[in-house]
Amino acid sequence: MQRVTLKDKTFVPYITSDKISASVKQLAQKINTDLVNDMPLFLVVLNGSFMFAADLLKEVTIPCEISFIKLASYHGTSSTGTVTEMIGLTEEIKGRTVVVVEDIVDTGVTLEKLVALLTKKEVKQIKVASFLLKPEAYKKDIAVDYVGMEIPNDFVVGYGLDYDGLGRNMKEIFVLESK
Ligand code: 5GP
């Protein structure tokens, strides 16, 4: 693995694709065991989690459905500030087990908003699968049930994650070079 430069930043190799696939397989096995009787709906949060979701769901062998959403944030006219909206969900999710599929959970602000939106729709239970988690940054109470890898509070790219739109296609994960 070579270092890569994306726009004005240089990134160094961090997690190899072999390590990524080993942890994705382990995670899928846990899901296969835990949710075998739940007929879960996997809700893949675009864009970042497309690569993780594809790898994960190839290893998920239990009956399930898969759907894709995007989160859009805008400043509402009320004093509450930013409003988050879920776009693309067409399935009826009331009473279902929903597995949120995320690329990375950092502070957890995004996850918290998504879970609030799903809770309003009266789902049976929400499980969260995130390939990466930054425990030092994560301060929310929502359980991240399935985590591929925990990483320090550094900025990473690749395996679906971007820097200013670039780097999502890289099959390994790179971290910002420390100066
Ligand atoms: P949150 O802080 O709400 O948990 O994370 C918000 C979003 O920031 C994530 O979904 C992801 O898109 C982005 N993010 C957080 N940490 C990183 C990182 O290390 N690299 C990249 N590329 N995006 C990140």
Side-chain angles (χ1 to χ4, degrees), residues 120-136:
K120 270 197 225 157
K121 294 190 179 286
E122 299 175 59
V123 294
K124 180 178 165 203
Q125 60 172 340
I126 300 167
K127 298 281 180 187
V128 180
S130 179
F131 183 63
L132 296 173
L133 174 70
K134 295 181 181 174
E136 290 160 29

Side-chain angles (χ1 to χ4, degrees), residues 16-17 30 47 60 84 88-89 92 96 139 154:
T16 62
S17 54
K30 252 184 115 198
N47 295 328
V60 167
T84 302
L89 183 69
E92 171 61 74
R96 306 274 320 255
K139 300 283 177 255
D154 298 322

Side-chain angles (χ1 to χ4, degrees), residues 102-110 134 154-157 161-162:
E102 275 281 15
D103 47 355
I104 187 163
V105 174
D106 184 351
T107 63
V109 169
T110 313
K134 295 181 181 174
D154 298 322
F155 187 79
V156 294
V157 292
L161 289 154
D162 73 311

Side-chain angles (χ1 to χ4, degrees), residues 7-178:
K7 296 196 175 164
D8 57 331
K9 305 228 180 295
T10 301
F11 296 85
V12 294
Y14 192 46
I15 309 174
T16 62
S17 54
D18 284 352
K19 283 208 175 123
I20 293 172
S21 40
S23 81
V24 171
K25 278 184 187 144
Q26 262 187 9
L27 211 155
Q29 275 164 17
K30 252 184 115 198
I31 290 176
N32 286 333
T33 308
D34 290 357
L35 304 180
V36 63
N37 296 316
D38 290 288
M39 180 75 89
L41 170 67
F42 288 89
L43 217 48
V44 179
V45 187
L46 297 172
N47 295 328
S49 57
F50 77 97
M51 210 178 270
F52 169 50
D55 286 348
L56 176 74
L57 291 161
K58 279 185 269 184
E59 304 293 332
V60 167
T61 51
I62 56 174
C64 65
E65 288 178 46
I66 304 166
S67 192
F68 301 87
I69 58 160
K70 269 198 169 197
L71 293 176
S73 299
Y74 59 95
H75 289 285
T77 49
S78 74
S79 57
T80 51
T82 312
V83 180
T84 302
E85 195 189 1
M86 193 165 47
I87 301 170
L89 183 69
T90 50
E91 284 76 6
E92 171 61 74
I93 61 171
K94 188 173 172 179
R96 306 274 320 255
T97 292
V98 173
V99 184
V100 170
V101 181
E102 275 281 15
D103 47 355
I104 187 163
V105 174
D106 184 351
T107 63
V109 169
T110 313
L111 181 63
E112 189 177 55
K113 288 182 174 166
L114 176 56
V115 166
L117 292 168
L118 292 172
T119 305
K120 270 197 225 157
K121 294 190 179 286
E122 299 175 59
V123 294
K124 180 178 165 203
Q125 60 172 340
I126 300 167
K127 298 281 180 187
V128 180
S130 179
F131 183 63
L132 296 173
L133 174 70
K134 295 181 181 174
E136 290 160 29
Y138 187 61
K139 300 283 177 255
K140 305 291 179 192
D141 292 331
I142 300 159
V144 185
D145 305 276
Y146 305 101
V147 177
M149 287 184 192
E150 295 189 345
I151 61 167
N153 214 352
D154 298 322
F155 187 79
V156 294
V157 292
Y159 199 59
L161 289 154
D162 73 311
Y163 168 57
D164 207 7
L166 295 179
R168 291 194 198 277
N169 53 316
M170 300 189 298
K171 63 182 175 185
E172 295 99 8
I173 294 176
F174 292 76
V175 65
L176 187 62
E177 186 175 51
S178 51

